[in-house]
């Protein structure tokens, strides 16, 4: 009787532990797979205050959730600004001598379809056009815009199929004369595989 009781307790404990482990393991996967679940952290760039609210050109090295790379003089051009598409802030992009990058790695499910959306603006005007804007997904260049003249925030949409359990979303930019702007970056699971500019 005691042996049977102990055995049932052990079996019950192992089953509970297994189910608990399965729930923890699948949490990461379910977030990456759930349709409509936002996967980008701080895509609206509202998590970090301006260094000086009265001066949108004051550098802010903090961009929560994102990694900046490139030459220090170029990455210093990636800063929080008060020129947003929505909310109070956006991201100002102005690499000075070379391309600077800002990126984020998100959880994905291999073979699952996702949609990246973002809003992009330029304040450069002819004859002073010397800019480039690039979008990469898992290291693959999926969009390039060169010498974009003045345009208000414009929505872009790129759909992709994940190659693994994580995916890098990366933006490259250089704007030698004025600024480019990025805001409202979003990645969500979807069932569509189209790529378009809206």
């Amino acid at each position: 009787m005691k042996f049977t009781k102990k055995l049932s307790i052990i079996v019950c404990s192992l089953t509970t532990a297994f189910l608990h482990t399965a729930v923890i393991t699948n949490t990461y996967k379910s977030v990456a797979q759930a349709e409509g679940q936002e996967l980008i952290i701080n895509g609206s760039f509202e998590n970090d205050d301006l260094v000086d609210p009265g001066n949108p050109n004051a550098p802010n090295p903090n961009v929560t959730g994102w990694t900046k790379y490139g030459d220090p003089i170029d990455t210093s051009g990636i800063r929080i600004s008060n020129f947003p598409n929505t909310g109070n802030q956006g991201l100002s992009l102005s690499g000075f001598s070379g391309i600077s990058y800002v990126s984020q790695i998100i959880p994905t499910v291999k073979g699952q379809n996702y949609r990246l959306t973002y809003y992009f603006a330029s304040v450069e005007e002819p004859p002073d056009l010397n800019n480039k804007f690039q979008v990469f997904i898992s290291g693959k260049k999926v969009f390039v815009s060169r010498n974009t003249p003045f345009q208000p925030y414009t929505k872009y949409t790129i759909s992709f199929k994940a190659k693994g359990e994580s995916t890098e979303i990366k933006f490259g930019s250089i704007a030698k004369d004025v600024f480019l702007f990025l805001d409202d970056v979003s990645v969500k699971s979807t069932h569509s595989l189209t790529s378009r500019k809206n």
Side-chain angles (χ1 to χ4, degrees):
M1 181 74 173
K2 283 185 180 178
F3 177 75
T4 307
K5 191 173 180 182
K6 282 184 180 177
L7 184 61
S8 65
I9 290 169
I10 290 168
V11 169
C12 182
S13 297
L14 287 173
T15 304
T16 305
F18 175 75
L19 288 172
H20 183 64
T21 303
V23 168
I24 291 170
T25 305
N26 286 328
T27 300
Y28 186 81
K29 185 174 180 179
S30 64
V31 168
Q33 207 164 17
E35 189 165 0
Q37 177 73 40
E38 182 57 64
L39 299 174
I40 290 285
I41 296 169
N42 192 25
S44 61
F45 307 105
E46 300 288 333
N47 289 12
D48 306 289
D49 295 331
L50 290 168
V51 171
D52 178 359
N55 178 9
N57 295 323
N60 186 340
N62 304 309
V63 187
T64 299
W66 298 87
T67 301
K68 301 190 293 186
Y69 12 157
D71 186 283
I73 193 169
D74 297 321
T75 58
S76 69
I78 298 174
R79 61 190 73 173
I80 302 295
S81 80
N82 63 1
F83 181 63
N85 177 54
T86 60
N88 297 311
Q89 299 176 167
L91 194 66
S92 172
L93 308 170
S94 60
F96 305 109
S97 61
I99 299 228
S100 56
Y101 300 95
V102 59
S103 72
Q104 186 170 142
I105 295 174
I106 59 169
T108 51
V109 175
K110 186 175 181 179
Q112 177 73 38
N113 297 329
Y114 295 87
R115 179 176 293 126
L116 163 66
T117 59
Y118 60 92
Y119 288 78
F120 169 63
S122 171
V123 295
E124 285 199 338
E125 296 188 50
D128 299 319
L129 281 177
N130 196 354
N131 66 63
K132 184 190 289 186
F133 180 75
Q134 304 170 322
V135 182
F136 301 82
I137 297 175
S138 290
K140 180 181 178 184
K141 194 183 297 178
V142 295
F143 179 80
V144 179
S145 177
R146 288 183 177 86
N147 297 328
T148 305
F150 176 86
Q151 74 171 34
Y153 273 109
T154 304
K155 183 180 181 181
Y156 292 79
T157 302
I158 301 169
S159 293
F160 64 95
K161 183 177 285 192
K163 306 282 189 207
E165 293 182 357
S166 63
T167 299
E168 182 189 44
I169 304 298
K170 181 169 74 172
F171 299 95
S173 61
I174 184 169
K176 293 188 176 182
D177 293 312
V178 198
F179 297 98
L180 302 175
F181 294 92
L182 179 67
D183 201 7
D184 295 327
V185 180
S186 172
V187 175
K188 294 180 179 179
S189 172
T190 183
H191 298 293
S192 172
L193 274 177
T194 58
S195 177
R196 65 186 183 278
K197 172 182 171 182
N198 292 337

